[in-house]
Amino acid sequence: NVDECSTGTHNCHSNSNCTDTTGSFTCQCHAGYSGNGTRCEEYSPVVDCKEPTVTNADYITTTGSTTVRHTAIVVCKSGYTRNGQWAAIRCLESGYWSIFKCERPRCTNSTTTDLKGQFFWGITPAGDSQTIPCPVQTRTGAQNTGRDEYAVRGCNDSTQQGHTGDWNWSEPDTSRCQFKSIVTRELQNFSTIISNTSDVSLVVSTTSRVANLTDMSTTLTSADVDFTSILLENLASVSLNLVLDENTTDLIQDNFITIVDNILDTDSDVLQSKPAARITQATEDLFKSLPLSSNVTIRHSQRNIASIAACPSQISDQTTVATAMDNKIILRTLMNDSQPSIESAGTGNDSTSLDPSSSPERVTFTITEEVFEKATPINSSFARVDSCPLPQTAFVVYADTKLFKDPTLGSYRSLASGVILAQVGTGDIASLSQRIRATFQRQEPSLNYTVTGYDCVYWDYRQRDGLGAWTMDGCELIPAENNKTITCECDHLTNFACLVNYRPFEESASRALSIVTYVGCSLSLAGLLITIATILIVDKFRQSRHHRLMLGLSVSILLLVVSFLVGLERRHYLARDWACYTLAILVHYMLLFTFAWTSAIASFFYIQLVKVLSRPSTRTTTTIVVCVFVVPLLIVAVTAASTSLNAYTGKTHCWINGLTAFIFSLYIPMALSLVYNIVILAIIVRSLRNRGKMAQTM
C-alpha cells in the first residue's frame, strides 16, 4: 500500500486535510472552508444590510437586494444636499451601508476686509445668516454682546430659483460698524454736525478741524472724501443762516478752500464722481451765499485752487477782469473809455499786463456791465447792516482739474486748461447779449500726439444724472490772435474750461521713425566697436596720443548711444520714476561729456599745432581731462537740484522735460562747445596756412 498523503502524490487542496486509505486517500476541507477537498474556498456567510435608512431622505430605492456589494439609490428632501439628484450607497461586508448624509448645504469659512476692518465668517447653513461683533467697538456694552455694533452676512442661493445647491455668501452688511480709521470716524461725525445750524463758532471750529484732518491727503480713503464732500455740501447750505463778520467770513472761506485743496491732493482712484460733484456744487453755492461787507475783497490761494470774492464799489460803466496766475487771482476794474483801475486782491496793487500772452497768467476772465445788471445781490435775513448792497463777484480757479472728470470725453479729448468758476450775485445768469470772455493759456501737446482743434466748454450739472459733464452750449471759440492763448466767449456764468482734441501719430509713421532710429544707432554702434577694437589691438595705434583721444571719444559716443536706446521708449523696466529719472540723467551727462571731449581734443590739437608743435604739459593735460569730467557733472547736478522729478521723466520716454531746462542745461552748453571747436579749427587752419607761406618764401 502506497501512502499518497506522505509522499505528496495526492491532489488535495492546500486548505484541506489528506487521509490515507487502503489503495487510495481522501481530502477534507479545513474548518471555515467549503468544497470537495480538491478545491476549497473560504466560507462566506450571506451578509444582509437590511433596509437602508438615511435621515432627511425623500425616498430610498434598492436594486433588488440588500446583501453585501449591492447598492441603493438615495434622494434627499428639498433644501438638502443633492437636492433633486440621486446618490448611491453600498452594502458593506460589515453589514452596514456606506455613510451618506442628507444635510443642509452651507457656506464655508470666509474672511472679508473693508474700511471698517477684517471680518471672520464661520460655517453657516444655507438660508441662514451669521451675526458677528464689529472689529471696532465704541459703544458701551457692545464689546461683550455685539448687540449695538455688529455685522451681518447671509448664506444665500446664488441662483434664487428653487435652491439648486449653488449656495454662496452674500455681501456683508457692515453699516452698523464704525470705521477702523480714527480720521474716518471723525469725518463721519463732522459731516452732519453742522447741518441746520446757525452756530458760527461750531461751523468755524468744525471746518478748521476738518482742514487739519484732510491735510494727510496721501492716507485719505474714498470714505474720507465722501464724508468731507457731505460736510462741504452742508456748509454751503447753512451759510445763509450765519451771522458773520468780515473775519469769520474770511476764515470759513479759507477753511473751505484748504479742504478742497487737500482733497485735490488725493489719488484719482480715491476721488469718486459723486463726492466730486458735491464739492464743485458746494463751491458754487458757498460763494453765492456768504455775504461780504461793502468794498471788501477776500482772497485765498492754495497749490491746487485759488479764490477771490469781492463787493464792487459800483456796477455801471465798468468791466471786471479776473486774472489767474500760478498761485493767485488778481481782480481788476476797467472803467469804460478810461484807463484801468486796479482793486486790491490781497497783495496790494498789481500792474501785471492784462494781455495773457505777455505774462505767466493761466486764464483771464472778463465780465461786462450786463452781467451785474442781471445779477441779484445776496438777500439773507441774517445780513449785517454793512453787507454788500451790490451783486458780489467771485472767481475760483482749479489748477488741478481732478474734480471735473468726464468719462464721456473719449480717448482723444481732454482738458487743455485749468477750470475757472465765475460767479456774480445769486441765481443763474444766462442769455447774455454781451458775452463774457475767457482767455486761457495754451498748453503744449505731448510729442506723441497731434492737436486737431480746441473747444470752449462749461460744466453742466444736468448731465450724467447730476454728476456733470462738459458741454459746449452757449460757448464758442474765438479765432486766436497768437499761438500762446485760446479765447472763448459764453453767454452765461458757471465753471469754464478749454478742451483739446488730438490724435496720436500715425502708427505706420511712428513705426518707420523707430526703425530708422534703431537701424541708424545700430550702425553707429557697429562702427564704434570696430574703431575701439582696432585701436586696442594695433600696438602702433595704442601708443599714439591722437588715437588715444579718438578711443576716448569713441567710448563716450558708444555709452551715449547705448543709454539713449535704452531710454528711447519708456518700457516696463523703466516703469518706476526713479529708474527713468536715473537713466535720463545718465543720457544728459553722456551727451554733455561727449561734447566736452570734442572740445578737449580741439584744445590738444591747438597746443600741438599752434604752439610751435609743442606737447601739452602734464598739468595742462590733467586740467583739461578734469574739466571734461567735472563741467558736465556740475551742469547735470544743478539741473537736477533746481527741478522736480518730473523734469527728467515723461510718460513715453526718459529725457529732459520743459523748454527752460532744455535751453540752459543742454542747448547753451552744446552751443558753447560747438563755437569753441569752430574757433579752434579756424585758428589751426590759419596757423597752418601761414606756415605754408613762410616755407615757400624760404
Side-chain angles (χ1 to χ4, degrees):
N1 181 43
V2 179
D3 188 354
E4 291 87 356
C5 294
S6 60
T7 60
T9 57
H10 64 85
N11 61 348
C12 293
H13 193 269
S14 60
N15 289 319
S16 66
N17 294 323
C18 178
T19 304
D20 185 51
T21 60
T22 302
S24 185
F25 60 91
T26 61
C27 299
Q28 180 70 38
C29 292
H30 293 163
Y33 292 86
S34 62
N36 58 9
T38 59
R39 182 177 180 181
C40 295
E41 294 181 356
E42 187 178 6
Y43 174 73
S44 178
V46 176
V47 177
D48 191 346
C49 290
K50 301 181 181 179
E51 289 296 326
T53 58
V54 177
T55 305
N56 296 320
D58 191 10
Y59 61 87
I60 302 175
T61 303
T62 60
T63 56
S65 176
T66 58
T67 57
V68 68
R69 298 188 180 89
H70 285 81
T71 58
I73 303 301
V74 181
V75 178
C76 297
K77 291 181 179 179
S78 175
Y80 289 85
T81 304
R82 293 188 178 275
N83 172 33
Q85 301 178 14
W86 60 270
I89 57 176
R90 182 181 296 275
C91 178
L92 306 177
E93 286 80 356
S94 62
Y96 296 96
W97 293 96
S98 58
I99 298 175
F100 180 79
K101 295 180 180 180
C102 283
E103 57 185 9
R104 293 175 64 184
R106 53 188 182 173
C107 295
T108 58
N109 292 325
S110 176
T111 302
T112 59
T113 304
D114 61 15
L115 295 175
K116 298 182 178 181
Q118 193 172 47
F119 299 82
F120 300 95
W121 308 95
I123 295 174
T124 301
D128 289 353
S129 61
Q130 184 176 172
T131 301
I132 60 175
C134 296
V136 178
Q137 297 285 339
T138 59
R139 299 179 186 175
T140 304
Q143 184 66 42
N144 297 324
T145 64
R147 221 169 16 180
D148 299 317
E149 297 176 345
Y150 59 89
V152 180
R153 195 182 191 192
C155 179
N156 301 326
D157 184 2
S158 61
T159 61
Q160 298 295 322
Q161 293 182 2
H163 306 296
T164 63
D166 188 12
W167 295 83
N168 293 307
W169 285 108
S170 62
E171 288 296 319
D173 177 9
T174 61
S175 58
R176 301 173 185 83
C177 295
Q178 299 293 328
F179 285 92
K180 184 179 180 180
S181 167
I182 297 176
V183 171
T184 306
R185 294 204 297 271
E186 285 198 62
L187 290 174
Q188 183 183 26
N189 179 53
F190 287 141
S191 65
T192 57
I193 199 172
I194 63 172
S195 59
N196 300 320
T197 186
S198 58
D199 187 343
V200 176
S201 62
L202 177 62
V203 172
V204 172
S205 62
T206 299
T207 53
S208 298
R209 176 58 180 159
V210 171
N212 291 330
L213 288 174
T214 55
D215 190 38
M216 301 175 291
S217 55
T218 56
T219 61
L220 293 180
T221 65
S222 56
D224 298 332
V225 175
D226 191 38
F227 291 133
T228 303
S229 69
I230 295 173
L231 175 132
L232 297 178
E233 188 177 50
N234 289 332
L235 173 60
S237 65
V238 303
S239 56
L240 275 174
N241 301 329
L242 303 177
V243 181
L244 304 172
D245 57 26
E246 183 177 335
N247 291 331
T248 52
T249 299
D250 185 11
L251 186 56
I252 289 176
Q253 284 191 12
D254 182 54
N255 289 338
F256 187 97
I257 293 298
T258 301
I259 293 171
V260 176
D261 180 68
N262 292 338
I263 296 301
L264 288 172
D265 276 331
T266 60
D267 293 335
S268 297
D269 296 339
V270 173
L271 186 56
Q272 304 299 319
S273 297
K274 191 169 184 179
R278 283 199 202 104
I279 293 172
T280 55
Q281 187 67 67
T283 304
E284 289 190 31
D285 295 341
L286 182 80
F287 283 93
K288 285 180 181 178
S289 54
L290 275 182
L292 300 177
S293 300
S294 298
N295 302 320
V296 168
T297 299
I298 298 178
R299 171 180 171 270
H300 298 285
S301 298
Q302 296 292 340
R303 191 168 67 90
N304 300 307
I305 184 173
S307 70
I308 187 169
C311 175
S313 58
Q314 67 180 68
I315 61 175
S316 59
D317 298 325
Q318 71 177 26
T319 299
T320 299
V321 177
T323 304
M325 313 282 280
D326 282 338
N327 61 349
K328 61 182 177 179
I329 304 176
I330 307 270
L331 195 64
R332 302 174 176 84
T333 301
L334 280 68
M335 305 306 296
N336 294 345
D337 300 324
S338 67
Q339 296 296 321
S341 63
I342 303 175
E343 293 186 0
S344 171
T347 57
N349 290 343
D350 194 300
S351 58
T352 305
S353 169
L354 295 180
D355 179 13
S357 64
S358 60
S359 68
E361 299 162 356
R362 291 176 179 267
V363 58
T364 299
F365 205 91
T366 305
I367 295 180
T368 59
E369 179 183 343
E370 182 188 3
V371 176
F372 290 93
E373 293 174 349
K374 287 193 172 186
T376 304
I378 294 177
N379 183 20
S380 170
S381 58
F382 297 92
R384 303 184 303 276
V385 175
D386 63 341
S387 293
C388 182
L390 301 174
Q392 295 177 186
T393 304
F395 295 91
V396 179
V397 174
Y398 300 87
D400 189 319
T401 60
K402 198 177 298 166
L403 294 171
F404 299 91
K405 292 185 292 188
D406 184 2
T408 65
L409 290 181
S411 301
Y412 299 115
R413 207 167 179 228
S414 62
L415 286 173
S417 67
V419 177
I420 183 168
L421 165 65
Q423 188 67 54
V424 177
T426 62
D428 298 327
I429 298 177
S431 303
L432 295 170
S433 58
Q434 299 177 355
R435 292 180 165 230
I436 57 174
R437 172 170 288 202
T439 302
F440 299 95
Q441 186 182 52
R442 187 191 299 264
Q443 294 184 356
E444 293 297 326
S446 167
L447 294 176
N448 294 324
Y449 297 93
T450 301
V451 174
T452 59
Y454 293 90
D455 292 322
C456 298
V457 292
Y458 76 95
W459 191 251
D460 187 357
Y461 287 102
R462 296 171 297 180
Q463 306 294 325
R464 295 199 301 141
D465 297 325
L467 298 179
W470 293 111
T471 57
M472 296 187 294
D473 297 342
C475 294
E476 63 177 334
L477 182 69
I478 303 302
E481 298 177 359
N482 56 68
N483 59 355
K484 296 181 180 180
T485 60
I486 303 165
T487 302
C488 300
E489 287 189 352
C490 298
D491 63 0
H492 54 274
L493 293 182
T494 182
N495 292 292
F496 297 96
C498 179
L499 290 179
V500 59
N501 304 301
Y502 55 91
R503 59 179 174 81
F505 282 145
E506 294 294 334
E507 185 177 352
S508 57
S510 178
R511 187 185 300 111
L513 290 175
S514 297
I515 292 174
V516 170
T517 301
Y518 282 110
V519 170
C521 289
S522 298
L523 293 175
S524 297
L525 287 176
L528 290 167
L529 290 173
I530 293 173
T531 302
I532 293 171
T534 303
I535 296 174
L536 293 176
I537 292 173
V538 179
D539 185 66
K540 177 182 177 182
F541 293 162
R542 193 167 59 249
Q543 300 299 325
S544 169
R545 175 185 294 272
H546 294 165
H547 286 90
R548 288 202 300 270
L549 292 174
M550 182 63 67
L551 177 63
L553 181 61
S554 299
V555 172
S556 173
I557 297 175
L558 177 70
L559 295 176
L560 172 62
V561 173
V562 171
S563 57
F564 170 76
L565 287 176
V566 172
L568 180 60
E569 295 181 10
R570 189 170 180 178
R571 301 183 185 276
H572 62 89
Y573 48 80
L574 297 173
R576 295 185 179 276
D577 284 342
W578 66 264
C580 189
Y581 181 78
T582 303
L583 183 64
I585 287 179
L586 177 61
V587 175
H588 187 195
Y589 176 78
M590 292 308 305
L591 187 57
L592 294 176
F593 179 80
T594 301
F595 272 82
W597 193 265
T598 61
S599 298
I601 293 176
S603 300
F604 283 119
F605 276 110
Y606 172 79
I607 293 172
Q608 282 192 300
L609 299 178
V610 177
K611 296 294 185 178
V612 197
L613 300 177
S614 63
R615 296 175 63 87
S617 64
T618 303
R619 182 178 179 181
T620 301
T621 302
T622 303
T623 302
I624 293 175
V625 172
V626 169
C627 289
V628 168
F629 282 91
V630 173
V631 172
L633 184 62
L634 290 176
I635 295 174
V636 172
V638 171
T639 304
S642 60
T643 56
S644 64
L645 178 67
N646 294 332
Y648 271 109
T649 57
K651 292 182 178 179
T652 59
H653 58 277
C654 299
W655 185 229
I656 304 172
N657 290 318
L659 184 60
T660 302
F662 219 89
I663 291 175
F664 286 98
S665 67
L666 192 65
Y667 283 168
I668 291 179
M670 289 170 57
L672 291 175
S673 175
L674 185 61
V675 170
Y676 177 80
N677 293 343
I678 293 174
V679 171
I680 294 297
L681 176 63
I683 293 175
I684 292 174
V685 171
R686 180 182 178 184
S687 177
L688 293 177
R689 181 180 297 175
N690 290 338
R691 288 178 189 171
K693 291 180 178 180
M694 292 176 62
Q696 291 177 358
T697 59
M698 293 179 64

